[in-house]
Amino acid sequence: MDDENALLLERATGLIKCCKLPRLTHSIDEAQLKPDTFRGFLAILDETLPKVFDLLAQYENQLLGYDEFNRDNLEFQVNLVLVAAEQLQLLGEIYDFQTENVAYRGRLVELYQNGQLERILTKEGNGSERLLKRIWEHFQTVLQGKEWMYHPGDVVGFIWICEFLYGNMAEKPSELPQSVASFVLSIGISLVEYHDPDYEILGLRLFNVLLNERHRPMIKTSNIHEVVFQNSFRLSAKAKSERFLRELWACIFQYVKMTATNQTEISEWSKLDDVVEALLEALTFESNLALSSMLLLYLLKVLSLDLRNFLIDDLDDVQAVDSRCHLYEPVLEQLRKYCALEFRNRRFYRWHKRLVAMLPFELEKACGGTRECGKYMHGVNLLFVLAVFPIEPEAVGFLPDKQSALLDFMIAFKRHMRDQYGRIQSLTGKCDFLHSLKASVSCDKSITVFCRSVAQHYFPPDRQDFWNVVGTAVDGSEEGSYQEDRIFYECLKELQTRLQ
């Protein structure tokens, strides 16, 4: 390397090192972090970052390239990756040590979006191995034991790099070596054991990286997944925020998919039972609709474990794998038919009574005219189908508790539909209410299928109170066949008209 390039690298490396958050004088355990803690660092950061960006724009090949002429830029690249990982704001999470300058934030995001960081981290050849080796050596130094409490920036950066390399952020995630997995696990445990929800969430994000589908063979062989489950499941009772719930249940569900899908014996279902119990308990006592939506989503995902041809990605997003159909109603038509006639969800028979009992209460949360209520109604609709339809007749019996819960559900839903019909009269144009109405119409269709194909397993013919409520007779005569619900069809007609 000539003297000019050597001076360039020396200057660029010195500048990028100034952008790296230094070790704190007090650990987060000794003193609470406040914005003032980072005021001096942010002043240096905002003064130095534009100089780094200018050098990158002028000398990208010398600073980021790796060939026989640019073998000495490793130090700069290592620090650039560490700084970018520390400062990137991709998930709406902003930390006090990150720049507040919008332009600089945008330039940092560009490093990620235009592929520069990916090329640095995943380039072929010896260069990538040398760089990753240096990065892991850095993290092993600053994150071991309780030292991580002095390096909040490195904690955030470490998680981003793990998610990028081994999670779903890159198009082709890298293979996770067992030695790295063990280190990631140890840091994840340290974070979830710390008494701060923000750090517990960061630990759960590392656990989600470990349970990524790509790494499952190695993770199961080393039994890391059991350690992850043990350390994450105990947090289920204290998860009270949307971010916390999202990371926690994503982690637990990945574990369930990894282990439960191949377990066919009742004796192997104890942990799955614990998961269902935790979901039902949390859902029963949760009144916040956003948090309930997340809990209900994962309950539905668990209930559909053995439905290999259907995927539930959200409360209003169910997909048929075999036909590659993503439209809610056509897929639900398939699901209703399959659950009513073929599928028997034996894994969850022991929970059947509780699942049926919670239907009226979950319906109450969904009653309203907002988009969020409509989305939750889609979830209640799926819960009704997955919990009530796939059951063997002899396993149900005419049990009063189940009959009472189903009757309460039907009555409450009929009342809700009348309210929906009343709201239509005062509305003009398209609005969130139409999404709510669409969900209600779909749920009414599910009730119709239930009455025609499933209800006789729950209600004997002489339970006239039920058959009168749902407007269905069971004598098989033309006059006694299903009586079309006027309110339902008025709502459906209005929905079709307004969505044209």
Side-chain angles (χ1 to χ4, degrees), residues 193-440:
E193 287 181 345
Y194 190 62
H195 50 81
D196 186 319
D198 288 336
Y199 287 95
E200 289 170 334
I201 290 170
L202 294 175
L204 288 169
R205 284 170 61 182
L206 287 180
F207 287 167
N208 275 313
V209 170
L210 291 171
L211 297 185
N212 186 289
E213 190 170 357
R214 180 182 177 88
H215 315 309
R216 283 180 185 173
M218 182 274 291
I219 294 297
K220 291 185 76 171
T221 302
S222 58
N223 224 34
I224 285 176
H225 64 301
E226 296 293 347
V227 181
V228 166
F229 178 76
Q230 179 184 351
N231 282 276
S232 57
F233 185 70
R234 62 182 179 79
L235 299 175
S236 58
K238 61 184 295 187
K240 296 299 180 185
S241 74
E242 203 167 333
R243 282 175 58 218
F244 204 136
L245 278 176
R246 185 185 304 112
E247 295 296 339
L248 172 67
W249 285 105
C251 178
I252 293 174
F253 183 67
Q254 284 197 86
Y255 170 83
V256 168
K257 279 203 303 183
M258 186 184 295
T259 57
T261 48
N262 296 321
Q263 294 173 346
T264 56
E265 299 297 326
I266 293 179
S267 59
E268 300 175 311
W269 295 346
S270 60
K271 287 183 180 176
L272 181 60
D273 283 342
D274 291 340
V275 169
V276 175
E277 174 71 29
L279 279 168
L280 293 179
E281 282 293 308
L283 197 53
T284 299
F285 295 103
E286 184 55 68
S287 57
N288 181 286
L289 194 60
L291 301 185
S292 289
S293 295
M294 206 162 297
L295 293 166
L296 180 57
L297 171 63
Y298 280 99
L299 177 60
L300 296 173
K301 283 177 173 285
V302 170
L303 290 176
S304 60
L305 268 179
D306 297 317
L307 289 167
R308 304 300 167 85
N309 286 335
F310 297 92
L311 296 176
I312 299 174
D313 287 333
D314 211 335
L315 297 182
D316 54 357
D317 184 6
V318 55
Q319 303 170 22
V321 177
D322 51 357
S323 61
R324 298 185 181 279
C325 181
H326 294 247
L327 297 175
Y328 183 87
E329 196 54 43
V331 177
L332 205 61
E333 290 285 356
Q334 296 180 46
L335 186 62
R336 292 183 191 113
K337 182 178 179 181
Y338 181 61
C339 287
L341 301 178
E342 299 179 46
F343 182 55
R344 297 294 176 258
N345 210 356
R346 295 181 178 89
R347 198 192 293 266
F348 300 102
Y349 278 7
R350 71 186 77 189
W351 299 104
H352 189 247
K353 183 177 178 180
R354 282 187 65 179
L355 290 167
V356 172
M358 70 191 299
L359 282 169
F361 301 99
E362 297 311 308
L363 175 64
E364 185 178 347
K365 298 178 187 177
C367 291
T370 65
R371 185 184 292 262
E372 290 73 21
C373 288
K375 189 172 183 178
Y376 203 79
M377 182 63 78
H378 279 302
V380 172
N381 189 13
L382 285 167
L383 178 63
F384 177 63
V385 172
L386 292 174
V388 177
F389 283 39
I391 201 81
E392 292 175 354
E394 57 271 20
V396 179
F398 300 141
L399 299 179
D401 289 346
K402 293 180 183 179
Q403 291 175 346
S404 177
L406 286 169
L407 195 56
D408 289 345
F409 176 74
M410 304 290 178
I411 292 172
F413 185 78
K414 293 290 180 181
R415 188 185 307 119
H416 168 69
M417 286 298 283
R418 285 194 292 271
D419 292 342
Q420 294 285 72
Y421 181 62
R423 290 190 183 101
I424 287 176
Q425 311 308 312
S426 59
L427 290 173
T428 57
K430 298 179 182 180
C431 63
D432 286 355
F433 171 71
L434 294 180
H435 294 274
S436 174
L437 182 60
K438 183 179 179 182
S440 300

